[in-house]
Amino acid sequence: MKQIIIEVTPEVADAYQSASHRERQKIQSLISILLQKPADEDIALLREIMDEISDRAAARGLTPEILESILNER
């Protein structure tokens, strides 16, 4: 294996660092898959990942209004 460095927000970095070993392995696997699959297969995988992210965000209280507010801050 070879390490890479990607830039993320401090909150994402904190979440990753506090994740269990198993959760980190899942994240690493997802990144590897995303970078290896042909482009035509990426769309389905991306939709799956986005759905999971959306579900997790909603479970943590993120509403469309809050998201829009966050996006408009930039």
Side-chain angles (χ1 to χ4, degrees):
M1 297 294 269
K2 188 173 180 180
Q3 287 188 346
I4 62 169
I5 297 172
I6 58 172
E7 290 187 26
V8 296
T9 65
E11 295 82 10
V12 171
D14 291 344
Y16 180 80
Q17 290 169 347
S18 67
S20 69
H21 179 71
R22 177 98 170 109
E23 289 172 324
R24 286 184 184 194
Q25 286 179 321
K26 287 180 184 179
I27 294 166
Q28 292 167 6
S29 294
L30 280 173
I31 292 170
S32 293
I33 289 168
L34 282 172
L35 296 176
Q36 291 176 2
K37 288 203 175 257
D40 58 341
E41 294 178 23
D42 284 348
I43 293 171
L45 179 60
L46 180 58
R47 284 188 179 134
E48 267 184 60
I49 293 169
M50 290 174 66
D51 287 344
E52 183 168 341
I53 291 169
S54 177
D55 292 345
R56 286 183 181 198
R60 293 179 178 153
L62 183 66
T63 65
E65 295 79 18
I66 293 171
L67 178 59
E68 177 136 358
S69 171
I70 292 168
L71 293 174
N72 287 332
E73 289 177 5
R74 294 183 178 242

